[in-house]
Amino acid sequence: MKKAGDILSAFLDKETLEKAEQMGKLFSQNVWADLLASCKLSQGVSHSHIAELIKTVLLIEADHPGWIQLFQTKQTELLEAVRKRFPEITFTGISFRLMKP
């Protein structure tokens, strides 16, 4: 039985596959933990996650407005950490929203 990656590689070019792989890593909770640690926000890992990438804006969800406020104080630093970690993906900003219950 072939792996999904083997099947996809028959249809997609190498650059597209690499970008897709990076996108998958972007949504990893471990990567989110590393990004928050680099901004001295490690305590926020269990209260937030990367929800979406809408065009070039990264959408972060948090479970309380207080966390959103704290992340906003480090928004520039967080955006730079994301850009450094994923240079092949274009990020123009970060947006925040409250998690749905």
Side-chain angles (χ1 to χ4, degrees), residues 30-57:
N30 290 336
V31 168
W32 180 234
D34 290 345
L35 291 168
L36 288 182
S38 72
C39 298
K40 297 180 176 65
L41 293 169
S42 294
Q43 66 276 21
V45 171
S46 62
H47 300 279
S48 61
H49 65 271
I50 297 174
E52 295 180 58
L53 180 61
I54 302 170
K55 296 188 181 186
T56 59
V57 177

PDB file of all heavy atoms in Angstrom, residues 30-57:
ATOM      1  N   ASN A  30       3.621  21.455  19.379  1.00  0.00           N
ATOM      2  CA  ASN A  30       5.019  21.561  19.810  1.00  0.00           C
ATOM      3  C   ASN A  30       5.686  22.803  19.228  1.00  0.00           C
ATOM      4  O   ASN A  30       6.458  23.483  19.902  1.00  0.00           O
ATOM      5  CB  ASN A  30       5.813  20.322  19.404  1.00  0.00           C
ATOM      6  CG  ASN A  30       5.408  19.092  20.183  1.00  0.00           C
ATOM      7  OD1 ASN A  30       4.880  19.186  21.285  1.00  0.00           O
ATOM      8  ND2 ASN A  30       5.624  17.936  19.606  1.00  0.00           N
ATOM      9  N   VAL A  31       5.393  23.099  17.966  1.00  0.00           N
ATOM     10  CA  VAL A  31       5.947  24.300  17.334  1.00  0.00           C
ATOM     11  C   VAL A  31       5.378  25.540  18.020  1.00  0.00           C
ATOM     12  O   VAL A  31       6.102  26.488  18.306  1.00  0.00           O
ATOM     13  CB  VAL A  31       5.656  24.316  15.813  1.00  0.00           C
ATOM     14  CG1 VAL A  31       5.954  25.670  15.215  1.00  0.00           C
ATOM     15  CG2 VAL A  31       6.465  23.232  15.131  1.00  0.00           C
ATOM     16  N   TRP A  32       4.068  25.524  18.305  1.00  0.00           N
ATOM     17  CA  TRP A  32       3.443  26.647  19.010  1.00  0.00           C
ATOM     18  C   TRP A  32       4.117  26.850  20.375  1.00  0.00           C
ATOM     19  O   TRP A  32       4.402  27.979  20.771  1.00  0.00           O
ATOM     20  CB  TRP A  32       1.948  26.400  19.143  1.00  0.00           C
ATOM     21  CG  TRP A  32       1.184  27.477  19.845  1.00  0.00           C
ATOM     22  CD1 TRP A  32       0.368  27.322  20.921  1.00  0.00           C
ATOM     23  CD2 TRP A  32       1.131  28.876  19.525  1.00  0.00           C
ATOM     24  NE1 TRP A  32      -0.180  28.532  21.286  1.00  0.00           N
ATOM     25  CE2 TRP A  32       0.275  29.500  20.449  1.00  0.00           C
ATOM     26  CE3 TRP A  32       1.740  29.655  18.545  1.00  0.00           C
ATOM     27  CZ2 TRP A  32       0.002  30.861  20.427  1.00  0.00           C
ATOM     28  CZ3 TRP A  32       1.483  31.027  18.525  1.00  0.00           C
ATOM     29  CH2 TRP A  32       0.619  31.604  19.452  1.00  0.00           C
ATOM     30  N   ALA A  33       4.395  25.769  21.063  1.00  0.00           N
ATOM     31  CA  ALA A  33       5.068  25.860  22.365  1.00  0.00           C
ATOM     32  C   ALA A  33       6.452  26.496  22.208  1.00  0.00           C
ATOM     33  O   ALA A  33       6.840  27.352  23.015  1.00  0.00           O
ATOM     34  CB  ALA A  33       5.173  24.478  23.008  1.00  0.00           C
ATOM     35  N   ASP A  34       7.190  26.102  21.187  1.00  0.00           N
ATOM     36  CA  ASP A  34       8.517  26.676  20.946  1.00  0.00           C
ATOM     37  C   ASP A  34       8.435  28.167  20.621  1.00  0.00           C
ATOM     38  O   ASP A  34       9.243  28.962  21.095  1.00  0.00           O
ATOM     39  CB  ASP A  34       9.220  25.953  19.788  1.00  0.00           C
ATOM     40  CG  ASP A  34       9.628  24.532  20.130  1.00  0.00           C
ATOM     41  OD1 ASP A  34       9.629  24.183  21.332  1.00  0.00           O
ATOM     42  OD2 ASP A  34       9.938  23.781  19.192  1.00  0.00           O
ATOM     43  N   LEU A  35       7.446  28.530  19.793  1.00  0.00           N
ATOM     44  CA  LEU A  35       7.282  29.934  19.429  1.00  0.00           C
ATOM     45  C   LEU A  35       6.952  30.782  20.651  1.00  0.00           C
ATOM     46  O   LEU A  35       7.514  31.865  20.842  1.00  0.00           O
ATOM     47  CB  LEU A  35       6.193  30.090  18.365  1.00  0.00           C
ATOM     48  CG  LEU A  35       6.523  29.535  16.995  1.00  0.00           C
ATOM     49  CD1 LEU A  35       5.276  29.483  16.117  1.00  0.00           C
ATOM     50  CD2 LEU A  35       7.619  30.351  16.323  1.00  0.00           C
ATOM     51  N   LEU A  36       6.048  30.287  21.491  1.00  0.00           N
ATOM     52  CA  LEU A  36       5.693  31.039  22.694  1.00  0.00           C
ATOM     53  C   LEU A  36       6.870  31.110  23.673  1.00  0.00           C
ATOM     54  O   LEU A  36       7.100  32.150  24.296  1.00  0.00           O
ATOM     55  CB  LEU A  36       4.472  30.427  23.381  1.00  0.00           C
ATOM     56  CG  LEU A  36       3.138  30.630  22.670  1.00  0.00           C
ATOM     57  CD1 LEU A  36       2.002  30.012  23.480  1.00  0.00           C
ATOM     58  CD2 LEU A  36       2.865  32.099  22.411  1.00  0.00           C
ATOM     59  N   ALA A  37       7.629  30.041  23.773  1.00  0.00           N
ATOM     60  CA  ALA A  37       8.795  30.046  24.655  1.00  0.00           C
ATOM     61  C   ALA A  37       9.813  31.090  24.200  1.00  0.00           C
ATOM     62  O   ALA A  37      10.424  31.776  25.029  1.00  0.00           O
ATOM     63  CB  ALA A  37       9.440  28.662  24.700  1.00  0.00           C
ATOM     64  N   SER A  38       9.963  31.248  22.895  1.00  0.00           N
ATOM     65  CA  SER A  38      10.923  32.225  22.386  1.00  0.00           C
ATOM     66  C   SER A  38      10.494  33.661  22.709  1.00  0.00           C
ATOM     67  O   SER A  38      11.320  34.567  22.700  1.00  0.00           O
ATOM     68  CB  SER A  38      11.118  32.058  20.875  1.00  0.00           C
ATOM     69  OG  SER A  38       9.992  32.502  20.162  1.00  0.00           O
ATOM     70  N   CYS A  39       9.217  33.841  23.010  1.00  0.00           N
ATOM     71  CA  CYS A  39       8.689  35.175  23.362  1.00  0.00           C
ATOM     72  C   CYS A  39       8.401  35.284  24.858  1.00  0.00           C
ATOM     73  O   CYS A  39       7.733  36.224  25.297  1.00  0.00           O
ATOM     74  CB  CYS A  39       7.408  35.445  22.580  1.00  0.00           C
ATOM     75  SG  CYS A  39       7.636  35.477  20.810  1.00  0.00           S
ATOM     76  N   LYS A  40       8.881  34.308  25.610  1.00  0.00           N
ATOM     77  CA  LYS A  40       8.671  34.259  27.063  1.00  0.00           C
ATOM     78  C   LYS A  40       7.183  34.245  27.431  1.00  0.00           C
ATOM     79  O   LYS A  40       6.739  34.918  28.359  1.00  0.00           O
ATOM     80  CB  LYS A  40       9.394  35.420  27.744  1.00  0.00           C
ATOM     81  CG  LYS A  40      10.900  35.361  27.561  1.00  0.00           C
ATOM     82  CD  LYS A  40      11.600  36.516  28.233  1.00  0.00           C
ATOM     83  CE  LYS A  40      13.090  36.421  28.152  1.00  0.00           C
ATOM     84  NZ  LYS A  40      13.673  36.499  26.844  1.00  0.00           N
ATOM     85  N   LEU A  41       6.427  33.426  26.681  1.00  0.00           N
ATOM     86  CA  LEU A  41       4.994  33.271  26.921  1.00  0.00           C
ATOM     87  C   LEU A  41       4.603  31.806  27.092  1.00  0.00           C
ATOM     88  O   LEU A  41       3.477  31.414  26.801  1.00  0.00           O
ATOM     89  CB  LEU A  41       4.201  33.868  25.753  1.00  0.00           C
ATOM     90  CG  LEU A  41       4.260  35.371  25.566  1.00  0.00           C
ATOM     91  CD1 LEU A  41       3.652  35.768  24.224  1.00  0.00           C
ATOM     92  CD2 LEU A  41       3.529  36.072  26.700  1.00  0.00           C
ATOM     93  N   SER A  42       5.523  30.988  27.568  1.00  0.00           N
ATOM     94  CA  SER A  42       5.297  29.543  27.665  1.00  0.00           C
ATOM     95  C   SER A  42       4.023  29.173  28.410  1.00  0.00           C
ATOM     96  O   SER A  42       3.377  28.176  28.091  1.00  0.00           O
ATOM     97  CB  SER A  42       6.475  28.857  28.348  1.00  0.00           C
ATOM     98  OG  SER A  42       7.619  28.966  27.551  1.00  0.00           O
ATOM     99  N   GLN A  43       3.647  29.977  29.382  1.00  0.00           N
ATOM    100  CA  GLN A  43       2.460  29.668  30.175  1.00  0.00           C
ATOM    101  C   GLN A  43       1.178  29.710  29.339  1.00  0.00           C
ATOM    102  O   GLN A  43       0.157  29.160  29.744  1.00  0.00           O
ATOM    103  CB  GLN A  43       2.360  30.596  31.390  1.00  0.00           C
ATOM    104  CG  GLN A  43       2.119  32.050  31.052  1.00  0.00           C
ATOM    105  CD  GLN A  43       3.350  32.868  30.719  1.00  0.00           C
ATOM    106  OE1 GLN A  43       4.395  32.334  30.347  1.00  0.00           O
ATOM    107  NE2 GLN A  43       3.226  34.182  30.814  1.00  0.00           N
ATOM    108  N   GLY A  44       1.231  30.307  28.159  1.00  0.00           N
ATOM    109  CA  GLY A  44       0.049  30.416  27.305  1.00  0.00           C
ATOM    110  C   GLY A  44      -0.205  29.221  26.404  1.00  0.00           C
ATOM    111  O   GLY A  44      -1.243  29.165  25.738  1.00  0.00           O
ATOM    112  N   VAL A  45       0.694  28.260  26.393  1.00  0.00           N
ATOM    113  CA  VAL A  45       0.566  27.114  25.480  1.00  0.00           C
ATOM    114  C   VAL A  45      -0.737  26.353  25.701  1.00  0.00           C
ATOM    115  O   VAL A  45      -1.443  26.036  24.747  1.00  0.00           O
ATOM    116  CB  VAL A  45       1.766  26.145  25.611  1.00  0.00           C
ATOM    117  CG1 VAL A  45       1.534  24.864  24.826  1.00  0.00           C
ATOM    118  CG2 VAL A  45       3.033  26.832  25.161  1.00  0.00           C
ATOM    119  N   SER A  46      -1.085  26.080  26.935  1.00  0.00           N
ATOM    120  CA  SER A  46      -2.291  25.294  27.206  1.00  0.00           C
ATOM    121  C   SER A  46      -3.569  26.116  27.074  1.00  0.00           C
ATOM    122  O   SER A  46      -4.670  25.578  27.200  1.00  0.00           O
ATOM    123  CB  SER A  46      -2.212  24.668  28.601  1.00  0.00           C
ATOM    124  OG  SER A  46      -2.135  25.688  29.583  1.00  0.00           O
ATOM    125  N   HIS A  47      -3.435  27.397  26.809  1.00  0.00           N
ATOM    126  CA  HIS A  47      -4.595  28.280  26.701  1.00  0.00           C
ATOM    127  C   HIS A  47      -4.824  28.796  25.281  1.00  0.00           C
ATOM    128  O   HIS A  47      -5.724  29.618  25.064  1.00  0.00           O
ATOM    129  CB  HIS A  47      -4.422  29.486  27.632  1.00  0.00           C
ATOM    130  CG  HIS A  47      -4.299  29.095  29.054  1.00  0.00           C
ATOM    131  ND1 HIS A  47      -5.386  28.789  29.840  1.00  0.00           N
ATOM    132  CD2 HIS A  47      -3.204  28.921  29.834  1.00  0.00           C
ATOM    133  CE1 HIS A  47      -4.972  28.471  31.056  1.00  0.00           C
ATOM    134  NE2 HIS A  47      -3.648  28.538  31.074  1.00  0.00           N
ATOM    135  N   SER A  48      -4.028  28.320  24.325  1.00  0.00           N
ATOM    136  CA  SER A  48      -4.111  28.874  22.977  1.00  0.00           C
ATOM    137  C   SER A  48      -3.562  27.896  21.945  1.00  0.00           C
ATOM    138  O   SER A  48      -2.924  26.904  22.295  1.00  0.00           O
ATOM    139  CB  SER A  48      -3.306  30.175  22.918  1.00  0.00           C
ATOM    140  OG  SER A  48      -1.944  29.914  23.208  1.00  0.00           O
ATOM    141  N   HIS A  49      -3.816  28.221  20.689  1.00  0.00           N
ATOM    142  CA  HIS A  49      -3.266  27.443  19.575  1.00  0.00           C
ATOM    143  C   HIS A  49      -3.371  28.249  18.290  1.00  0.00           C
ATOM    144  O   HIS A  49      -4.118  29.229  18.213  1.00  0.00           O
ATOM    145  CB  HIS A  49      -3.971  26.089  19.423  1.00  0.00           C
ATOM    146  CG  HIS A  49      -5.411  26.208  19.037  1.00  0.00           C
ATOM    147  ND1 HIS A  49      -6.421  26.315  19.969  1.00  0.00           N
ATOM    148  CD2 HIS A  49      -6.016  26.260  17.829  1.00  0.00           C
ATOM    149  CE1 HIS A  49      -7.577  26.418  19.342  1.00  0.00           C
ATOM    150  NE2 HIS A  49      -7.357  26.388  18.039  1.00  0.00           N
ATOM    151  N   ILE A  50      -2.622  27.819  17.282  1.00  0.00           N
ATOM    152  CA  ILE A  50      -2.743  28.409  15.955  1.00  0.00           C
ATOM    153  C   ILE A  50      -3.959  27.762  15.311  1.00  0.00           C
ATOM    154  O   ILE A  50      -4.016  26.543  15.164  1.00  0.00           O
ATOM    155  CB  ILE A  50      -1.475  28.165  15.118  1.00  0.00           C
ATOM    156  CG1 ILE A  50      -0.277  28.848  15.772  1.00  0.00           C
ATOM    157  CG2 ILE A  50      -1.679  28.647  13.687  1.00  0.00           C
ATOM    158  CD1 ILE A  50       1.051  28.554  15.115  1.00  0.00           C
ATOM    159  N   ALA A  51      -4.934  28.600  14.944  1.00  0.00           N
ATOM    160  CA  ALA A  51      -6.191  28.076  14.412  1.00  0.00           C
ATOM    161  C   ALA A  51      -6.200  28.009  12.889  1.00  0.00           C
ATOM    162  O   ALA A  51      -6.657  27.016  12.310  1.00  0.00           O
ATOM    163  CB  ALA A  51      -7.356  28.932  14.900  1.00  0.00           C
ATOM    164  N   GLU A  52      -5.722  29.074  12.229  1.00  0.00           N
ATOM    165  CA  GLU A  52      -5.796  29.150  10.774  1.00  0.00           C
ATOM    166  C   GLU A  52      -4.709  30.063  10.238  1.00  0.00           C
ATOM    167  O   GLU A  52      -4.163  30.887  10.967  1.00  0.00           O
ATOM    168  CB  GLU A  52      -7.131  29.757  10.321  1.00  0.00           C
ATOM    169  CG  GLU A  52      -8.359  28.964  10.627  1.00  0.00           C
ATOM    170  CD  GLU A  52      -9.618  29.672  10.136  1.00  0.00           C
ATOM    171  OE1 GLU A  52      -9.692  29.949   8.911  1.00  0.00           O
ATOM    172  OE2 GLU A  52     -10.495  29.943  10.955  1.00  0.00           O
ATOM    173  N   LEU A  53      -4.462  29.908   8.961  1.00  0.00           N
ATOM    174  CA  LEU A  53      -3.674  30.876   8.213  1.00  0.00           C
ATOM    175  C   LEU A  53      -4.602  31.369   7.115  1.00  0.00           C
ATOM    176  O   LEU A  53      -4.948  30.635   6.193  1.00  0.00           O
ATOM    177  CB  LEU A  53      -2.413  30.252   7.621  1.00  0.00           C
ATOM    178  CG  LEU A  53      -1.524  31.187   6.814  1.00  0.00           C
ATOM    179  CD1 LEU A  53      -1.006  32.335   7.670  1.00  0.00           C
ATOM    180  CD2 LEU A  53      -0.358  30.430   6.205  1.00  0.00           C
ATOM    181  N   ILE A  54      -5.061  32.609   7.260  1.00  0.00           N
ATOM    182  CA  ILE A  54      -6.002  33.191   6.310  1.00  0.00           C
ATOM    183  C   ILE A  54      -5.199  34.109   5.396  1.00  0.00           C
ATOM    184  O   ILE A  54      -4.758  35.176   5.824  1.00  0.00           O
ATOM    185  CB  ILE A  54      -7.120  33.959   7.030  1.00  0.00           C
ATOM    186  CG1 ILE A  54      -7.848  33.023   7.996  1.00  0.00           C
ATOM    187  CG2 ILE A  54      -8.085  34.570   6.012  1.00  0.00           C
ATOM    188  CD1 ILE A  54      -8.811  33.714   8.932  1.00  0.00           C
ATOM    189  N   LYS A  55      -4.982  33.636   4.171  1.00  0.00           N
ATOM    190  CA  LYS A  55      -4.092  34.282   3.209  1.00  0.00           C
ATOM    191  C   LYS A  55      -2.707  34.403   3.843  1.00  0.00           C
ATOM    192  O   LYS A  55      -1.977  33.439   3.863  1.00  0.00           O
ATOM    193  CB  LYS A  55      -4.650  35.601   2.720  1.00  0.00           C
ATOM    194  CG  LYS A  55      -5.942  35.416   1.946  1.00  0.00           C
ATOM    195  CD  LYS A  55      -6.402  36.669   1.289  1.00  0.00           C
ATOM    196  CE  LYS A  55      -7.711  36.366   0.581  1.00  0.00           C
ATOM    197  NZ  LYS A  55      -8.186  37.453  -0.211  1.00  0.00           N
ATOM    198  N   THR A  56      -2.347  35.548   4.397  1.00  0.00           N
ATOM    199  CA  THR A  56      -1.022  35.706   5.003  1.00  0.00           C
ATOM    200  C   THR A  56      -1.104  36.113   6.475  1.00  0.00           C
ATOM    201  O   THR A  56      -0.096  36.466   7.068  1.00  0.00           O
ATOM    202  CB  THR A  56      -0.211  36.762   4.237  1.00  0.00           C
ATOM    203  OG1 THR A  56      -0.918  38.000   4.270  1.00  0.00           O
ATOM    204  CG2 THR A  56       0.033  36.336   2.796  1.00  0.00           C
ATOM    205  N   VAL A  57      -2.309  36.039   7.046  1.00  0.00           N
ATOM    206  CA  VAL A  57      -2.501  36.425   8.447  1.00  0.00           C
ATOM    207  C   VAL A  57      -2.698  35.172   9.292  1.00  0.00           C
ATOM    208  O   VAL A  57      -3.579  34.342   9.025  1.00  0.00           O
ATOM    209  CB  VAL A  57      -3.712  37.372   8.606  1.00  0.00           C
ATOM    210  CG1 VAL A  57      -3.953  37.699  10.066  1.00  0.00           C
ATOM    211  CG2 VAL A  57      -3.484  38.648   7.800  1.00  0.00           C
TER     212      VAL A  57
END
